[in-house]
Structures are given as structure tokens and as C-alpha cells.
Amino acid sequence: MDTNKTIQIEPKLDGSVIATANVGVSPAAMAMKSSSKHLYVANSNNYSIGGSDSVTVIDGNTFMPLKTISDSSFNQPFGLTLSQDESKLYVANSNSTTISVIDTQTNEVTGVIDGFNGPSAMVIHPYTKVGYVINYGAISTRPSGEGNTVTVVDLEHEEIIERIQLHPYGVFPAAPAAIAITPDGGNVYVANYVTGNPGTGTVIQISTITNTIVNEVKGFFGPFSIEIDTEGKNAYITNFGSNNFAPYGTTVSVLNLEDNSVTEISTGGIQPSGFALSKDGRFGLVSNYNTLYRSGAPNFTGLTAGQGTVNVIDLKSNKLHPITINVGQAPGSISISPDGNYAFVSNYIGNTVSVIKMYQD
């Protein structure tokens, strides 16, 4: 009998909401510094309330707000990306042509990069100071939802070096909604909302060596977010559904990056939106936006948020874990703390962030 053999016990999922933090108006993306445990939350201010375009800083130990960062360069800040050394935070201003640069030591804006079109998210190459930004649309010639490009940025010099066309002009716009990069930095994957009609969404693969499109997978339904596992084998895409919320989506697509096959997982919820992978690669968390327009209401008025929920997918079996976690209204983005102990969910209509304990003690 080998007495030196160590028995490893897998931690048990907890899933309890242990705190709710008040933030700003229409919270969207989040990013957490591992060194200070400061959580940054982009308040996208969907209602265009004066002075409400901001970034909230939350203490990751107490889950209480520490500071609200406001700056004249903010214009519906939606996406947040930390630099590799966590010294800078890049804020994508989705209603403008700019990305604001925050010094995370002082929490002040120190620069602005211009030349985008409704930037909503960015990924950074793991081994170079190059960023890839999706442009959902904001300017008059390419308004919201009409964006069609990925912009390549030299982050060291804070300047644009290239633009990648996603769909040919004259065809449906790509409306790139989410972006992810493989762990080796070799490829970027862009989830495109397109028209939002069933089956029209696409995922485009871009080689970071040539900055050219090498593949396109079709058949998604209003994709909202995309995450790639730590081995670079699978991408997880949430199918939010159509832009008038009828019909709405109910699934997460698992895209095999080796053979481009797609497997569908039903979340049991309405409008899967955010997705995040646990640090140990064991679980995938998906938020269900669950917000619908009243039938017959003009101009998409009568928006009603139901109970926001988070479901957990067991990634070994690609089946749902038997718990449903109640969070705030219209939960969008999900972010996992660097230590893997907590999941943060931004509640877009609730103007709060829910804090989920990942594992039992």
C-alpha cells in the first residue's frame, strides 16, 4: 500500500450570494486587480444621465465602493481591460470613438486613444503589447449595431496600427459583440451579433500573426459573450437572442476550436448573456438577463426585468449543475476574482454588483 499517495478532494460548489454592492448607472464589464483586490466596474449610463458616465472601484475584501472615477473622456463606458502588469486599465467608450486609459495606482485618466467606432471590448495579446478592439458602432455612418471592424492597437505607443474588416460592405454588418483570445495568443475569436435573427450570428477567427480572417463559423443566435478555456480547446458563446427580445435565446454554444463543431447547452433561463470560467476550469457560469418588452408597446417601451439568475455548467459533462443562483435585475457581465474564490455579476438594470461565493469552506 502506497502511504505517500495524496488524495485530492475537489472543492464543492457553494453558489451563495454573500454581498451586493451599489455601483453606478447601467453597470457592464468588470476587471479585478490581483495585487490590490480592487474591482473596477464600468457604469455605461444607458440613460444618458449627466455626470453618470463613470467607473466604480470596489474593495475586494469588504465589497464596499471605494471611489467613483469620473472623466470628461468617458462616454457610455462599457468594456474594461487590465494591462498584463495591471498598471493600466483601458476603458472602452461605447458611444464614442475613444478608449480612456486609467493609471491604476492613482485611479486617474492619463490618456485617450482615438480612432475607434463604438468600441465595446478589448483583449490584449499575452506576449506583446498589442490590443484587439471590437467596434460595435457609434458614428453616424456606422451607428450602434452597424460596426464591422476589429481595430489593432499598439498599446505601448497608444496608437492604432491596423483595422480588420469582418464582413464585406453591402452585406449585413457584423455588429461584433464580444471578443476572446487563445491562451497562446495565436488567434482572436470575435462573436458577431449580425441582425440578431435566429441562426445569423457568427464567430470569426483571426490570426494574430497575419491579422487576417482564417475561419468563420455560422449559426449562432444573437451571441452576447465569448470565453475560451485555459487549454484553448473550446469557446463558450452565449446566445442572447433577437434585439427586440422576441424570440429570445436560451442556450450556450460550445465551439470546438479544433474541428469547429458546435454543441448546444440549454441554460433553462431567458437571454443568456454573460459567461465566465472558474479558475480551475471546472465550471462555467452563465447569467440570464431575463428582461422583456411588453407585447404591443411602441418603440420597445415597457421593458420589464424578471428575476435575474446565474446557472452553472459542469464542464466535464457539459450539463447544468442543479442550482440556480438569484442575482439582481438584468445580469449581464460575469467576472471571476483572480484567486478564483468569488464571481461578480453586474446587474445592468439593478445598478448593483452581486458577489457569489464559489466554493464551500
Side-chain angles (χ1 to χ4, degrees), residues 196-246:
N197 293 323
T200 61
T202 67
V203 172
I204 288 177
Q205 177 186 356
I206 297 171
S207 167
T208 60
I209 298 174
T210 61
N211 284 339
T212 58
I213 294 172
V214 295
N215 190 45
E216 181 180 33
V217 181
K218 301 178 179 179
F220 302 95
F221 180 23
F224 189 94
S225 65
I226 181 170
E227 293 288 332
I228 296 174
D229 63 26
T230 55
E231 295 181 345
K233 291 184 178 180
N234 294 299
Y236 298 85
I237 302 102
T238 56
N239 294 294
F240 182 89
S242 62
N243 57 6
N244 63 357
F245 299 178

Side-chain angles (χ1 to χ4, degrees), residues 144-163:
S144 181
E146 298 286 322
N148 215 23
T149 58
V150 170
T151 303
V152 187
V153 189
D154 177 345
L155 296 175
E156 184 173 8
H157 299 96
E158 296 186 355
E159 61 183 19
I160 293 171
I161 55 178
E162 194 167 354
R163 290 179 176 84

Side-chain angles (χ1 to χ4, degrees), residues 49-104:
I49 300 170
S52 294
D53 298 280
S54 64
V55 173
T56 299
V57 187
I58 293 174
D59 186 320
N61 293 307
T62 64
F63 309 120
M64 293 295 292
L66 292 172
K67 180 179 182 178
T68 297
I69 305 172
S70 299
D71 191 81
S72 60
S73 67
F74 292 163
N75 192 338
Q76 294 188 11
F78 193 86
L80 296 180
T81 308
L82 279 167
S83 61
Q84 298 293 350
D85 63 2
E86 299 187 344
S87 65
K88 295 181 179 180
L89 179 70
Y90 299 95
V91 183
N93 297 300
S94 63
N95 193 42
S96 76
T97 61
T98 65
I99 286 179
S100 304
V101 185
I102 293 176
D103 181 325
T104 59

Side-chain angles (χ1 to χ4, degrees), residues 22 26 43 48 59 84 96 119 202 218-219 230 255 262 276 320 358:
N22 292 314
S26 312
N43 301 307
S48 299
D59 186 320
Q84 298 293 350
S96 76
T202 67
K218 301 178 179 179
T230 55
L255 171 61
V262 178
L320 289 180
M358 286 294 297

Side-chain angles (χ1 to χ4, degrees), residues 106-142:
T106 63
N107 284 332
E108 300 291 338
V109 173
T110 57
V112 176
I113 311 171
D114 202 352
F116 307 95
N117 178 20
S120 59
M122 176 173 73
V123 292
I124 299 175
H125 194 285
Y127 304 114
T128 67
K129 293 183 178 180
V130 174
Y132 292 81
V133 179
I134 52 173
N135 298 289
Y136 191 75
I139 62 176
S140 58
T141 54
R142 287 274 170 176

Side-chain angles (χ1 to χ4, degrees), residues 14 43 67 95-96 105 177 196 227 283 311 319 344 352:
D14 188 306
N43 301 307
K67 180 179 182 178
N95 193 42
S96 76
Q105 292 298 315
E227 293 288 332
F283 300 106
N311 285 117
K319 293 182 179 180
F344 304 100
T352 60

